[in-house]
Amino acid sequence: MSQLDIQASKKARGAVLAARGKVMYTPSAISHEDCKAASVAYEAGDLLIDYLQQLEVDFIFGIPGGAIEPLYNALARSERKGGVKSIVTRHENGAAFAADGYARNSGKLGVCCATTGPGATNMITGVATAYENNIPLLVITAQTAVTNFGRKALQDSGDTGINTVGMYQFCTRYSTMITHLDQFERKLVTAIMTAFGPTPGPVHISVPLDIMRSKLEISKPSFNLKELLKKPVLIDDASVKELAEQLVSARAPVFVVGAGANESAAIIVKLAEALDAKIVTTPDGKGLVNPYHHLYRGVVGFAGHASAEQLLVDKNIDLIIAVGTSLGEWASSGWDTDVLLNNRLIHVESSEHNLTQSPMARLHVRGRLLAIFERLAADLRRQGIMFDAESNNELLDKRAVRLVPNKQAEPPLFDADDAMLHLSSEGLIKPQWLMAQITKKFAPHTKYLADAGNSFAWAIHYLHPFDRRQGQRRLREDCHIGRRNNFGGTFQAAIEYAPMGWAIASALGVALACKDTPIVCFTGDGSWLMSGLEITTAVQHSLPITYIILNDSALGMVKHGQRLGGAEQIAFELPEVNFSDMAKAVGANGYRVDSCQDFLALNFDQIA
């Protein structure tokens, strides 16, 4: 795309900051009897930890403070027993971002916490990001003691001060203050169940200091959260049957895969193969489909590929099945009625809210996406449409230019504008060249995150991670479809709310959720100056994260947006900073890359 060519960095000073290692953790339940044996009171904080243990949550991300000290006392008792562990981030916003990354990539509840007042308000942007992307988080904030409400207590954020419960009502599915001890268990369980509701998202409980440290009269949790969160597989048989009929009769169907389709992506690919249907992804669904698959035609929407848009506007395409996408501005090419939002559309969703964005669709299919597509596959198989459970890995390997450099290789079958073929390895680094080269430096199972700004655009358009294992696990006898844990995918970005710095801290949660998986975070110097100190959290916990800072001494998207829009050129300049020196100062490996030759000389195995 021409915009991306214009936005190529001129100075191209990249700093690669790396911290790598392993975090070993063995979960073990902490019980009331264990607490009594250690002569420790069973407090409300211990009860909260017990419920997180039920859900096999490993970490709480946050920053301690006086008003939330009882929760950290409970965490200390938990850690001694091998239970839920505290991860202290450098900013409360980073705690929410890290919990977001953990939830996306583990399938578990993300948990973050902050003390009262500024701690609680600092975390709101991260929570809002999870809200826009339907990420289940439990957000815990503190309050001053109930007895001090209305007395101008330090950092008062109750209803008589800075009302944080009211603030969180606009970016959570549930926000409440627990003002009496007998409310604690019921409201906590309600919050967690709501986080995993029909439209998942963050929930917020605010707990005054005296309530959190109060002693409970119960000896164990009253509710079994695992049982309560078990959901019957509800499928609208009539709509699934209608979907099957339309797929069978369609001349040229196309699947549009969004980030919400992570659990069902492998089955969707198999269905596409059986029907000879093309596949495109939304920007945030990019990491769920192997870009070298012979049916893949690229990304539709922001920073996408002309091949995807041309496919969708082709009048021969008579059916478009959009799965797991809100069809928001970036995913729908600015709500383009020629591309997606027309009566060729079938919208398959688990979120009722997302379905409200597609009133023009000819069919809405509601329910858990994995169950819908397993039922659909079984129905089509009964109609004689067969599914090949084995992927053609030889073909995929041939298309994986970066993994087989000594063989005659075929590029992806979309307008990838492969920078390796068009840009020289001489002189200054161009972002297109960098995105094409980076996947040669890391293992195929690496997860890539991109931050808001030009990092988004270049990674969405030019980065093509290869994952040979997609759709290769465990077969079902009824439909012969591979299933795998596809949480998060190989590429992730916070598309809907798009805050700067999200990827920097989210990478922490991704690394903790995906042990022994390399993580690469693309970010800009503007984002790094906002949130870059979270690298010290990565260093502290020896996490396998490589941060690549696209450093042009500017707020790049602002600068180029002003140029493209004919606006005044103002307020985009940033100081020149050697981020590799900053990395070394906090105990990470740091490298400054001024040229393509500098980058090619790097050995990332040695760096990490």
Side-chain angles (χ1 to χ4, degrees):
M1 296 178 68
S2 60
Q3 179 177 348
L4 295 177
D5 294 334
I6 292 171
Q7 291 176 343
S9 170
K10 288 187 176 180
K11 294 184 180 179
R13 293 188 306 275
V16 181
L17 315 180
R20 189 177 185 127
K22 294 183 179 179
V23 174
M24 304 302 296
Y25 170 69
T26 304
S28 174
I30 177 171
S31 68
H32 175 51
E33 287 72 21
D34 290 330
C35 288
K36 286 189 0 183
S39 299
V40 177
Y42 190 66
E43 297 178 355
D46 297 303
L47 176 63
L48 190 154
I49 298 297
D50 277 4
Y51 274 114
L52 298 184
Q53 291 278 181
Q54 285 188 11
L55 300 177
E56 299 177 1
V57 171
D58 304 312
F59 306 101
I60 294 180
F61 302 88
I63 297 179
I68 203 167
E69 184 179 281
L71 177 59
Y72 278 86
N73 289 339
L75 275 168
R77 294 190 281 270
S78 171
E79 289 189 27
R80 285 197 292 270
K81 295 291 185 178
V84 181
K85 182 178 179 180
S86 165
I87 301 292
V88 179
T89 57
R90 303 306 174 251
H91 192 278
E92 290 87 355
N93 203 36
F97 288 157
D100 179 323
Y102 174 81
R104 288 176 190 246
N105 291 271
S106 68
K108 300 178 183 180
L109 181 69
V111 185
C112 55
C113 69
T115 194
T116 188
T121 55
N122 277 350
M123 203 158 53
I124 286 179
T125 296
V127 176
T129 303
Y131 179 83
E132 284 294 288
N133 290 280
N134 298 335
I135 306 300
L137 298 187
L138 173 63
V139 182
I140 307 159
T141 65
Q143 294 283 353
T144 57
V146 173
T147 53
N148 290 331
F149 279 14
R151 301 180 64 190
K152 280 293 182 180
L154 177 67
Q155 299 180 338
D156 181 5
S157 56
D159 59 356
T160 56
I162 302 299
N163 190 344
T164 54
V165 175
M167 291 180 183
Y168 276 97
Q169 285 177 348
F170 298 99
C171 59
T172 61
R173 309 287 180 216
Y174 177 85
S175 180
T176 188
M177 186 190 300
I178 299 173
T179 57
H180 296 78
L181 186 59
D182 57 6
Q183 298 174 348
F184 189 92
E185 191 171 25
R186 175 172 50 82
K187 284 191 171 183
L188 173 63
V189 170
T190 299
I192 294 173
M193 292 180 67
T194 303
F196 287 106
T199 300
V203 294
H204 170 236
I205 61 169
S206 193
V207 190
L209 171 65
D210 47 347
I211 301 296
M212 186 69 85
R213 68 184 175 197
S214 296
K215 297 179 182 178
L216 294 156
E217 296 182 0
I218 59 176
S219 60
K220 62 180 181 180
S222 304
F223 303 98
N224 184 330
L225 270 177
K226 278 194 171 183
E227 290 298 321
L228 289 171
L229 290 172
K230 282 183 179 178
K231 299 177 183 177
V233 178
L234 300 176
I235 297 178
D236 184 347
D237 285 320
S239 63
V240 174
K241 182 179 179 181
E242 174 65 18
L243 174 57
E245 291 175 355
Q246 296 216 27
L247 279 170
V248 170
S249 62
R251 297 187 312 275
V254 175
F255 286 95
V256 179
V257 178
N262 56 0
E263 192 180 33
S264 56
I267 296 183
I268 293 171
V269 170
K270 293 301 174 188
L271 285 170
E273 291 172 350
L275 298 165
D276 195 28
K278 302 299 188 294
I279 307 168
V280 300
T281 63
T282 62
D284 58 354
K286 172 184 171 72
L288 299 179
V289 177
N290 195 314
Y292 297 92
H293 195 283
H294 67 283
L295 294 172
Y296 184 63
R297 293 296 181 270
V299 173
V300 62
F302 175 79
H305 303 101
S307 54
E309 184 168 332
Q310 289 167 2
L311 175 69
L312 291 171
V313 299
D314 187 339
K315 299 305 180 185
N316 292 318
I317 299 300
D318 57 340
L319 193 65
I320 299 172
I321 306 96
V323 186
T325 171
S326 67
L327 296 176
E329 182 177 9
W330 276 17
S332 65
S333 293
W335 306 288
D336 193 317
T337 56
D338 291 328
V339 176
L340 278 176
L341 303 183
N342 52 62
N343 62 7
R344 295 178 297 164
L345 178 66
I346 291 178
H347 198 180
V348 186
E349 259 296 339
S350 59
S351 169
E352 295 282 343
H353 177 73
N354 285 352
L355 290 173
T356 65
Q357 306 303 307
S358 58
M360 74 299 295
R362 66 169 66 175
L363 178 65
H364 292 102
V365 184
R366 299 171 174 83
R368 181 179 176 184
L369 299 183
L370 179 62
I372 288 171
F373 282 97
E374 287 183 338
R375 175 71 61 84
L376 180 63
D379 287 350
L380 292 176
R381 190 164 178 262
R382 282 192 289 270
Q383 296 185 49
I385 298 176
M386 303 305 294
F387 298 89
D388 180 8
E390 300 297 327
S391 284
N392 188 342
N393 286 323
E394 182 179 351
L395 176 60
L396 287 176
D397 283 346
K398 192 175 182 183
R399 295 198 185 285
V401 180
R402 295 151 189 80
L403 295 186
V404 283
N406 297 322
K407 297 181 181 179
Q408 183 63 36
E410 297 180 17
L413 293 177
F414 59 94
D415 67 329
D417 189 19
D418 198 314
M420 283 200 337
L421 304 179
H422 302 300
L423 293 178
S424 170
S425 295
E426 301 295 327
L428 297 178
I429 292 177
K430 296 290 186 180
Q432 301 95 320
W433 182 90
L434 173 65
M435 296 297 167
Q437 290 288 331
I438 197 69
T439 53
K440 296 176 70 173
K441 295 284 190 178
F442 288 88
H445 65 293
T446 299
K447 287 180 177 282
Y448 297 87
L449 286 76
D451 234 327
N454 286 345
S455 302
F456 263 169
W458 288 321
I460 289 169
H461 194 80
Y462 292 106
L463 181 74
H464 310 307
F466 178 83
D467 187 351
R468 190 173 190 262
R469 302 170 302 159
Q470 284 189 347
Q472 291 302 297
R473 295 183 183 171
R474 211 169 69 224
L475 305 181
R476 286 178 56 98
E477 293 181 359
D478 58 348
C479 58
H480 291 271
I481 297 297
R483 299 179 67 180
R484 66 172 297 208
N485 175 357
N486 218 359
F487 289 120
T490 57
F491 173 80
Q492 298 169 42
I495 295 297
E496 300 288 351
Y497 206 56
M500 294 174 67
W502 170 85
I504 297 169
S506 183
L508 306 172
V510 179
L512 289 165
C514 305
K515 304 294 175 60
D516 301 318
T517 299
I519 312 297
V520 174
C521 171
F522 291 102
T523 188
D525 48 340
S527 291
W528 193 263
L529 289 170
M530 285 186 180
S531 305
L533 286 179
E534 293 298 349
I535 192 175
T536 64
T537 313
V539 170
Q540 181 180 1
H541 296 280
S542 302
L543 300 179
I545 305 172
T546 299
Y547 292 100
I548 298 180
I549 304 173
L550 308 177
N551 183 2
D552 62 352
S553 297
L555 297 171
M557 185 161 276
V558 174
K559 175 177 68 175
H560 295 300
Q562 289 172 351
R563 289 178 180 174
L564 290 171
E568 294 284 350
Q569 295 284 286
I570 186 173
F572 59 80
E573 301 94 340
L574 293 175
E576 293 190 8
V577 180
N578 188 328
F579 293 108
S580 64
D581 285 348
M582 292 178 65
K584 294 172 186 176
V586 299
N589 295 323
Y591 298 85
R592 176 165 169 159
V593 181
D594 291 306
S595 68
C596 296
Q597 291 84 351
D598 288 348
F599 180 82
L600 292 173
L602 291 173
N603 184 328
F604 280 88
D605 289 333
Q606 294 179 359
I607 288 173

